[in-house]
Amino acid sequence: MSGPVVAVMQPYFYPYLGYFRLFAAADIVVLFDCVQFPRRGRVHRSALPSPPGQSRWLTLPLRHQPRHTRIADLHFQSDAGTEFLRRLNGHDWYRSSKGDLADEIRSHLTISEPSVADYLERQLRAIVWHLKLPAVIIRSSDLNISPTFAGQQRVLAVVKALGGKSYVNPPAGRHLYQPETFQSRGITLRFLSPYTGLFPHALPALMDAEPDTVRRDVRAQTILEAP
């Protein structure tokens, strides 16, 4: 019996374009917001073009919260809208971009809600719509997965809750999963190939490039591999 292809991924803030291949490869993409916020991850920051060997980030202004806070429970600091606009205006590409999506993305970047998860979901839905990618987007926090499940078992519980028969993961997660465990649950495990496309930084690309160019890049790079 067939079932949907499911992908589970933390909601990232304008990651590299390869992230959006999940929305081309899966029927359902689950924003994994029921887990602890990774403070060195990409939930709250977007990598920007920088000289070789250096890192440059655009970071969301978050309220200080306990280390164990879930992504679903993250909130912005009280002056986040003003502070984030100040940070954005420090970048030439933000001020000068004239691409088809530039003005709309500027509007979407405005922080108007206290919840970081709501903000991230809004960004991702807008991008997926503009790139005409087919996946349905839901949040893991809406699935009532038992808190006793962690890691691979939690992902399997999400896929099972959705009746999934196939699971797709980004390439960097190969060490996290055991193919035989998925097989024993009747689920096919696949990984995206490493991204080698045109756009290592999503935000400047979406503001400057034509949407069709970005869309073609995402779809051409959506290549699935066995474990």
Side-chain angles (χ1 to χ4, degrees), residues 83-103:
E83 171 58 24
F84 193 50
L85 182 60
R86 184 191 66 78
R87 296 178 188 183
L88 286 167
N89 279 320
H91 299 281
D92 291 340
W93 52 263
Y94 175 78
R95 299 191 309 272
S96 62
S97 292
K98 292 182 171 55
D100 289 348
L101 293 182
D103 288 340

Side-chain angles (χ1 to χ4, degrees), residues 114-135:
S115 165
V116 176
D118 287 351
Y119 177 82
L120 294 173
E121 181 178 353
R122 176 162 63 86
Q123 308 293 328
L124 291 171
R125 285 187 179 279
I127 298 167
V128 167
W129 186 85
H130 279 292
L131 297 183
K132 300 179 182 177
L133 301 176

